[in-house]
Amino acid sequence: MKLKERPAAAIKLVGGRLCLDFVNAIGGRRPASPSEKGDKEDYSVREDKLTDYGDLLAWSQHAGLLTEGEARKLFRESWQRQTEAASVFARAIELREAIYRIFKALLNKSLPRQSDLERLNQELTMAYGRVRLAAGEENFVWEWTDTKNSLDRMHWLIADSAAEFLTSGDLTRLRECSGEDCGWLFEDTSKNRSRQWCDMRDCGNLAKVRRFRTRLHADAP
Ligand SMILES: [Zn+2]
């Protein structure tokens, strides 16, 4: 299957920021059932759309982090470096969930877990180890170095996006979709700060149908 045809390349990008779109690269998140809980998380991922390194590439191309040519090249590269690609993929999922839990903690007005911050910091250290200053036309600009064969280059941009939101974004605009078992995050940039849904056509519409049904039942004799 072509990268572009994978389900990961059809995920809606409605988070408003790269790091939030990455958090949303799943069907949804729901509270864990008692049997799932154990010593694990208090939520579980529903329909993970990222199942291997190819999916990560497909999503990265879809989100504009890689051109089609770059994605194809890295895909070929990943076949030569399968162990590395598997570990890059595992790191991506850890990063995604760490970013989710950090933002979720902020939404709950609590402090993020140290281990999640550590995860993000590790990726940032790797990312910022690859930037350098270069002379641009008017000002100097940041450039990524060593991008050609790095299987994990999407991590740098995602981690950087999360750091940017955390350090200079308006975190009071961070929201979680109100849809059942959705859990998608987004930045509410609406003027009156009233955005409630990841997408009005999905979760918003579903809620409307549910309200309508409830009313029908209430009205029934
Ligand atoms: Zn939603």
Side-chain angles (χ1 to χ4, degrees):
M1 194 194 294
K2 283 190 184 153
L3 287 177
K4 274 202 297 204
E5 289 162 9
R6 291 186 177 217
I11 303 173
K12 286 186 181 162
L13 304 171
V14 294
R17 278 184 190 256
L18 171 61
C19 57
L20 300 180
D21 282 333
F22 189 57
V23 160
N24 300 341
I26 53 167
R29 287 184 181 79
R30 63 170 160 234
S33 65
S35 65
E36 285 169 325
K37 255 183 183 167
D39 54 344
K40 288 227 182 104
E41 302 302 335
D42 55 4
Y43 68 91
S44 65
V45 166
R46 188 168 60 75
E47 291 173 64
D48 203 330
K49 308 276 174 148
L50 303 182
T51 60
D52 61 13
Y53 184 71
D55 285 344
L56 180 62
L57 285 178
W59 183 86
S60 301
Q61 184 189 327
H62 171 59
L65 305 185
L66 301 171
T67 64
E68 191 174 353
E70 287 167 336
R72 220 181 303 129
K73 187 163 178 278
L74 287 178
F75 195 40
R76 274 199 304 271
E77 195 72 30
S78 74
W79 284 102
Q80 310 295 323
R81 295 148 67 188
Q82 290 194 17
T83 315
E84 189 191 339
S87 107
V88 165
F89 173 70
R91 259 173 56 210
I93 299 298
E94 278 177 29
L95 175 64
R96 185 187 70 187
E97 296 310 303
I99 295 175
Y100 167 71
R101 287 190 297 264
I102 289 171
F103 286 132
K104 180 73 179 169
L106 295 179
L107 283 168
N108 291 337
K109 306 214 178 325
S110 54
L111 276 177
R113 262 190 242 164
Q114 199 51 42
S115 54
D116 288 331
L117 271 181
E118 194 52 41
R119 178 75 260 163
L120 175 58
N121 270 321
Q122 280 168 4
E123 293 292 344
L124 286 171
T125 307
M126 287 189 258
Y128 295 156
R130 267 119 152 198
V131 291
R132 66 169 181 196
L133 270 182
E137 278 179 23
E138 285 174 24
N139 289 327
F140 277 71
V141 291
W142 288 114
E143 260 182 12
W144 295 104
T145 62
D146 181 29
T147 53
K148 284 204 183 74
N149 294 315
S150 299
L151 296 185
D152 63 348
R153 47 190 287 195
M154 64 292 280
H155 297 209
W156 315 345
L157 300 163
I158 294 162
D160 183 48
S161 161
E164 194 192 347
F165 193 21
L166 287 167
T167 54
S168 51
D170 181 357
L171 291 167
T172 64
R173 289 190 177 272
L174 175 67
R175 303 274 184 281
E176 180 172 27
C177 175
S178 310
E180 202 176 298
D181 293 346
C182 176
W184 275 26
L185 302 183
F186 57 87
E187 184 179 13
D188 178 9
T189 51
S190 67
K191 222 172 184 182
N192 52 1
R193 296 172 176 253
S194 59
R195 182 171 159 198
Q196 217 181 332
W197 314 106
C198 59
D199 192 328
M200 198 55 219
R201 286 164 297 178
D202 294 336
C203 287
N205 200 34
L206 217 66
K208 212 156 68 184
V209 171
R210 259 193 212 116
R211 272 202 306 275
F212 179 66
R213 275 206 203 116
T214 316
R215 217 168 42 226
L216 270 186
H217 286 301
D219 290 350

